[in-house]
Amino acid sequence: WLTADAFRLFTRETILSEGAGALYLRREPATAPTVELRAITGAHFFFDQSTRCQAAARVRAELPGGSTADALYDSAQNVARLDAAETTAWRAWPGQRCSPKKILGEGLMAAAAWQCVLAADRLRDGTGTSALVSVVGCNQQAIGAAFGR
């Protein structure tokens, strides 16, 4: 409740949630097709809205271009002020787009794990061959990942 109360000082639009998420990664060769973590961007720090936009743009630039068959799991949460930088950075994204925070709420950094789990699960089910994750977080940094099959 303390964190939720603190968030209300900055924005009453954010819906806070709790949870955890995890992916099990291993280096062992697999006999069946598996999901691979293909890239992780650098961590790009920001302190105000202008550097937030720059950080989101840097994450976008470090990840593959994408096609209509690919999916993007972003950190948008229906708060225009907080979503603007990421929305702008990914506006030309040609594939599917999923924003788990719009449904699950702001889970702080657990939400980044939720995004990765959803991306990996999509690929594991054979729905696509590539999925990207974009996190422009409440911890004043942006980072991304690319998963493939």
Side-chain angles (χ1 to χ4, degrees):
W1 65 267
L2 188 56
T3 305
D5 228 19
F7 261 82
R8 291 186 113 20
L9 295 174
F10 299 99
T11 178
R12 294 197 171 269
E13 299 165 302
T14 299
I15 297 171
L16 220 56
S17 60
E18 289 189 25
L23 284 176
Y24 175 62
L25 303 174
R26 65 179 178 205
R27 291 185 186 261
E28 299 173 13
T31 56
T34 59
V35 176
E36 297 176 337
L37 175 60
R38 293 192 173 157
I40 298 175
T41 70
H44 302 284
F45 300 97
F46 58 85
F47 303 101
D48 58 31
Q49 191 60 30
S50 67
T51 56
R52 182 184 199 95
C53 290
Q54 293 167 349
R58 286 183 186 125
V59 166
R60 175 64 188 113
E62 290 181 30
L63 291 173
S67 73
T68 56
D70 298 333
L72 170 66
Y73 294 85
D74 67 20
S75 58
Q77 55 183 311
N78 276 336
V79 179
R81 173 175 64 82
L82 299 177
D83 298 344
E86 193 169 30
T87 299
T88 299
W90 292 95
R91 87 174 139 251
W93 176 254
Q96 295 177 327
R97 194 167 180 159
C98 180
S99 305
K101 287 183 183 182
K102 290 182 178 180
I103 299 164
L104 301 173
E106 171 58 82
L108 305 174
M109 288 317 292
W114 301 339
Q115 290 170 247
C116 291
V117 167
L118 287 169
D121 192 55
R122 176 184 192 271
L123 298 176
R124 188 182 55 83
D125 287 348
T127 307
T129 57
S130 178
L132 304 183
V133 172
S134 170
V135 180
V136 180
C138 59
N139 61 344
Q140 295 183 315
Q141 64 178 318
I143 195 165
F147 294 90
R149 197 166 48 87

